[in-house]
PDB file of all heavy atoms in Angstrom:
ATOM      1  N   ALA A 230    -109.620  63.787 -76.847  1.00  0.00           N
ATOM      2  CA  ALA A 230    -110.455  62.877 -77.649  1.00  0.00           C
ATOM      3  C   ALA A 230    -109.960  62.739 -79.085  1.00  0.00           C
ATOM      4  O   ALA A 230    -110.096  61.676 -79.685  1.00  0.00           O
ATOM      5  CB  ALA A 230    -111.907  63.358 -77.633  1.00  0.00           C
ATOM      6  N   ARG A 260    -117.474  53.839 -75.176  1.00  0.00           N
ATOM      7  CA  ARG A 260    -117.777  55.020 -76.004  1.00  0.00           C
ATOM      8  C   ARG A 260    -117.012  54.990 -77.312  1.00  0.00           C
ATOM      9  O   ARG A 260    -115.899  54.476 -77.371  1.00  0.00           O
ATOM     10  CB  ARG A 260    -117.426  56.273 -75.234  1.00  0.00           C
ATOM     11  CG  ARG A 260    -118.382  56.342 -74.094  1.00  0.00           C
ATOM     12  CD  ARG A 260    -118.359  57.553 -73.288  1.00  0.00           C
ATOM     13  NE  ARG A 260    -119.473  57.368 -72.362  1.00  0.00           N
ATOM     14  CZ  ARG A 260    -120.190  58.310 -71.864  1.00  0.00           C
ATOM     15  NH1 ARG A 260    -119.920  59.558 -72.153  1.00  0.00           N
ATOM     16  NH2 ARG A 260    -121.181  58.051 -71.053  1.00  0.00           N
ATOM     17  N   ILE A 261    -117.605  55.559 -78.318  1.00  0.00           N
ATOM     18  CA  ILE A 261    -116.900  55.734 -79.579  1.00  0.00           C
ATOM     19  C   ILE A 261    -116.345  57.153 -79.538  1.00  0.00           C
ATOM     20  O   ILE A 261    -117.107  58.128 -79.447  1.00  0.00           O
ATOM     21  CB  ILE A 261    -117.860  55.558 -80.785  1.00  0.00           C
ATOM     22  CG1 ILE A 261    -118.513  54.166 -80.749  1.00  0.00           C
ATOM     23  CG2 ILE A 261    -117.125  55.778 -82.100  1.00  0.00           C
ATOM     24  CD1 ILE A 261    -117.560  52.991 -80.902  1.00  0.00           C
ATOM     25  N   GLY A 263    -114.903  60.780 -80.278  1.00  0.00           N
ATOM     26  CA  GLY A 263    -115.254  61.724 -81.344  1.00  0.00           C
ATOM     27  C   GLY A 263    -116.755  61.833 -81.555  1.00  0.00           C
ATOM     28  O   GLY A 263    -117.201  62.497 -82.487  1.00  0.00           O
ATOM     29  N   PHE A 264    -117.522  61.191 -80.681  1.00  0.00           N
ATOM     30  CA  PHE A 264    -118.985  61.302 -80.764  1.00  0.00           C
ATOM     31  C   PHE A 264    -119.534  61.793 -79.436  1.00  0.00           C
ATOM     32  O   PHE A 264    -119.006  61.472 -78.388  1.00  0.00           O
ATOM     33  CB  PHE A 264    -119.626  59.943 -81.090  1.00  0.00           C
ATOM     34  CG  PHE A 264    -119.523  59.610 -82.544  1.00  0.00           C
ATOM     35  CD1 PHE A 264    -118.347  59.093 -83.048  1.00  0.00           C
ATOM     36  CD2 PHE A 264    -120.574  59.882 -83.401  1.00  0.00           C
ATOM     37  CE1 PHE A 264    -118.227  58.810 -84.395  1.00  0.00           C
ATOM     38  CE2 PHE A 264    -120.466  59.616 -84.754  1.00  0.00           C
ATOM     39  CZ  PHE A 264    -119.289  59.077 -85.257  1.00  0.00           C
ATOM     40  N   GLY A 265    -120.616  62.545 -79.526  1.00  0.00           N
ATOM     41  CA  GLY A 265    -121.283  63.024 -78.322  1.00  0.00           C
ATOM     42  C   GLY A 265    -120.661  64.327 -77.853  1.00  0.00           C
ATOM     43  O   GLY A 265    -119.502  64.646 -78.174  1.00  0.00           O
ATOM     44  N   HIS A 266    -121.443  65.096 -77.169  1.00  0.00           N
ATOM     45  CA  HIS A 266    -120.962  66.370 -76.654  1.00  0.00           C
ATOM     46  C   HIS A 266    -121.878  66.817 -75.531  1.00  0.00           C
ATOM     47  O   HIS A 266    -123.081  66.577 -75.592  1.00  0.00           O
ATOM     48  CB  HIS A 266    -120.954  67.432 -77.763  1.00  0.00           C
ATOM     49  CG  HIS A 266    -120.073  68.586 -77.446  1.00  0.00           C
ATOM     50  ND1 HIS A 266    -120.488  69.615 -76.640  1.00  0.00           N
ATOM     51  CD2 HIS A 266    -118.793  68.842 -77.789  1.00  0.00           C
ATOM     52  CE1 HIS A 266    -119.483  70.469 -76.522  1.00  0.00           C
ATOM     53  NE2 HIS A 266    -118.450  70.028 -77.194  1.00  0.00           N
ATOM     54  N   ARG A 267    -121.289  67.409 -74.520  1.00  0.00           N
ATOM     55  CA  ARG A 267    -122.113  67.871 -73.403  1.00  0.00           C
ATOM     56  C   ARG A 267    -123.170  68.884 -73.855  1.00  0.00           C
ATOM     57  O   ARG A 267    -124.305  68.854 -73.385  1.00  0.00           O
ATOM     58  CB  ARG A 267    -121.205  68.465 -72.313  1.00  0.00           C
ATOM     59  CG  ARG A 267    -121.902  69.128 -71.143  1.00  0.00           C
ATOM     60  CD  ARG A 267    -122.907  68.249 -70.428  1.00  0.00           C
ATOM     61  NE  ARG A 267    -122.384  67.077 -69.785  1.00  0.00           N
ATOM     62  CZ  ARG A 267    -121.811  67.068 -68.574  1.00  0.00           C
ATOM     63  NH1 ARG A 267    -121.695  68.168 -67.885  1.00  0.00           N
ATOM     64  NH2 ARG A 267    -121.380  65.941 -68.054  1.00  0.00           N
ATOM     65  N   LYS A 313    -130.135  59.216 -79.202  1.00  0.00           N
ATOM     66  CA  LYS A 313    -129.677  59.782 -77.909  1.00  0.00           C
ATOM     67  C   LYS A 313    -129.051  61.150 -78.100  1.00  0.00           C
ATOM     68  O   LYS A 313    -128.498  61.725 -77.160  1.00  0.00           O
ATOM     69  CB  LYS A 313    -128.619  58.858 -77.294  1.00  0.00           C
ATOM     70  CG  LYS A 313    -129.143  57.537 -76.787  1.00  0.00           C
ATOM     71  CD  LYS A 313    -127.994  56.800 -76.086  1.00  0.00           C
ATOM     72  CE  LYS A 313    -128.355  55.361 -75.802  1.00  0.00           C
ATOM     73  NZ  LYS A 313    -127.174  54.602 -75.332  1.00  0.00           N
ATOM     74  N   ILE A 315    -126.425  61.718 -80.123  1.00  0.00           N
ATOM     75  CA  ILE A 315    -124.975  61.504 -80.222  1.00  0.00           C
ATOM     76  C   ILE A 315    -124.559  61.635 -81.680  1.00  0.00           C
ATOM     77  O   ILE A 315    -124.905  60.792 -82.510  1.00  0.00           O
ATOM     78  CB  ILE A 315    -124.590  60.090 -79.711  1.00  0.00           C
ATOM     79  CG1 ILE A 315    -125.165  59.821 -78.317  1.00  0.00           C
ATOM     80  CG2 ILE A 315    -123.079  59.872 -79.723  1.00  0.00           C
ATOM     81  CD1 ILE A 315    -124.584  60.656 -77.231  1.00  0.00           C
ATOM     82  N   ASN A 318    -118.401  64.946 -83.144  1.00  0.00           N
ATOM     83  CA  ASN A 318    -117.999  66.267 -82.661  1.00  0.00           C
ATOM     84  C   ASN A 318    -116.754  66.713 -83.436  1.00  0.00           C
ATOM     85  O   ASN A 318    -116.269  65.987 -84.307  1.00  0.00           O
ATOM     86  CB  ASN A 318    -117.773  66.251 -81.143  1.00  0.00           C
ATOM     87  CG  ASN A 318    -116.762  65.193 -80.724  1.00  0.00           C
ATOM     88  OD1 ASN A 318    -115.679  65.111 -81.303  1.00  0.00           O
ATOM     89  ND2 ASN A 318    -117.112  64.384 -79.729  1.00  0.00           N
ATOM     90  N   ASP A 320    -113.732  66.763 -82.862  1.00  0.00           N
ATOM     91  CA  ASP A 320    -112.540  65.912 -82.805  1.00  0.00           C
ATOM     92  C   ASP A 320    -112.568  64.802 -83.838  1.00  0.00           C
ATOM     93  O   ASP A 320    -111.523  64.303 -84.243  1.00  0.00           O
ATOM     94  CB  ASP A 320    -112.413  65.277 -81.412  1.00  0.00           C
ATOM     95  CG  ASP A 320    -112.130  66.314 -80.372  1.00  0.00           C
ATOM     96  OD1 ASP A 320    -111.241  67.143 -80.604  1.00  0.00           O
ATOM     97  OD2 ASP A 320    -112.817  66.324 -79.338  1.00  0.00           O
TER      98      ASP A 320
HETATM   99  N1  COA B 401    -120.306  56.693 -77.827  1.00  0.00           N
HETATM  100  C1  COA B 401    -121.359  55.921 -77.479  1.00  0.00           C
HETATM  101  N2  COA B 401    -122.324  56.326 -76.623  1.00  0.00           N
HETATM  102  C2  COA B 401    -122.206  57.549 -76.104  1.00  0.00           C
HETATM  103  C3  COA B 401    -121.156  58.403 -76.437  1.00  0.00           C
HETATM  104  C4  COA B 401    -120.170  57.939 -77.338  1.00  0.00           C
HETATM  105  N3  COA B 401    -119.128  58.699 -77.683  1.00  0.00           N
HETATM  106  N4  COA B 401    -121.290  59.566 -75.766  1.00  0.00           N
HETATM  107  C5  COA B 401    -122.399  59.448 -75.036  1.00  0.00           C
HETATM  108  N5  COA B 401    -122.961  58.226 -75.230  1.00  0.00           N
HETATM  109  C6  COA B 401    -124.188  57.724 -74.619  1.00  0.00           C
HETATM  110  C7  COA B 401    -123.924  57.362 -73.162  1.00  0.00           C
HETATM  111  O1  COA B 401    -123.485  56.020 -73.018  1.00  0.00           O
HETATM  112  C8  COA B 401    -125.275  57.615 -72.549  1.00  0.00           C
HETATM  113  O2  COA B 401    -126.105  56.514 -72.861  1.00  0.00           O
HETATM  114  P1  COA B 401    -127.181  55.962 -71.782  1.00  0.00           P
HETATM  115  O3  COA B 401    -128.092  57.134 -71.549  1.00  0.00           O
HETATM  116  O4  COA B 401    -127.803  54.810 -72.475  1.00  0.00           O
HETATM  117  O5  COA B 401    -126.381  55.596 -70.561  1.00  0.00           O
HETATM  118  C9  COA B 401    -125.811  58.828 -73.319  1.00  0.00           C
HETATM  119  O6  COA B 401    -125.144  58.778 -74.579  1.00  0.00           O
HETATM  120  C10 COA B 401    -125.538  60.165 -72.642  1.00  0.00           C
HETATM  121  O7  COA B 401    -124.156  60.226 -72.292  1.00  0.00           O
HETATM  122  P2  COA B 401    -123.531  61.168 -71.147  1.00  0.00           P
HETATM  123  O8  COA B 401    -122.262  60.573 -70.636  1.00  0.00           O
HETATM  124  O9  COA B 401    -124.586  61.486 -70.144  1.00  0.00           O
HETATM  125  O10 COA B 401    -123.227  62.479 -71.930  1.00  0.00           O
HETATM  126  P3  COA B 401    -122.326  63.658 -71.388  1.00  0.00           P
HETATM  127  O11 COA B 401    -122.951  64.898 -71.868  1.00  0.00           O
HETATM  128  O12 COA B 401    -122.074  63.575 -69.931  1.00  0.00           O
HETATM  129  O13 COA B 401    -120.918  63.367 -72.074  1.00  0.00           O
HETATM  130  C11 COA B 401    -119.100  63.397 -73.529  1.00  0.00           C
HETATM  131  C12 COA B 401    -120.425  64.067 -73.126  1.00  0.00           C
HETATM  132  C13 COA B 401    -118.411  64.261 -74.554  1.00  0.00           C
HETATM  133  C14 COA B 401    -118.184  63.288 -72.295  1.00  0.00           C
HETATM  134  C15 COA B 401    -119.408  61.986 -74.084  1.00  0.00           C
HETATM  135  O14 COA B 401    -120.279  62.079 -75.192  1.00  0.00           O
HETATM  136  C16 COA B 401    -118.137  61.220 -74.472  1.00  0.00           C
HETATM  137  O15 COA B 401    -117.530  60.580 -73.602  1.00  0.00           O
HETATM  138  N6  COA B 401    -117.740  61.264 -75.770  1.00  0.00           N
HETATM  139  C17 COA B 401    -116.539  60.613 -76.218  1.00  0.00           C
HETATM  140  C18 COA B 401    -115.337  61.510 -75.932  1.00  0.00           C
HETATM  141  C19 COA B 401    -115.269  62.706 -76.866  1.00  0.00           C
HETATM  142  O16 COA B 401    -115.385  62.578 -78.071  1.00  0.00           O
HETATM  143  N7  COA B 401    -115.037  63.876 -76.258  1.00  0.00           N
HETATM  144  C20 COA B 401    -114.828  65.117 -77.018  1.00  0.00           C
HETATM  145  C21 COA B 401    -115.881  66.138 -76.749  1.00  0.00           C
HETATM  146  S1  COA B 401    -115.643  67.519 -77.833  1.00  0.00           S
END
Side-chain angles (χ1 to χ4, degrees):
R260 293 187 175 211
I261 302 296
F264 281 80
H266 199 278
R267 174 55 64 82
K313 290 185 192 171
I315 308 293
N318 56 49
D320 293 313

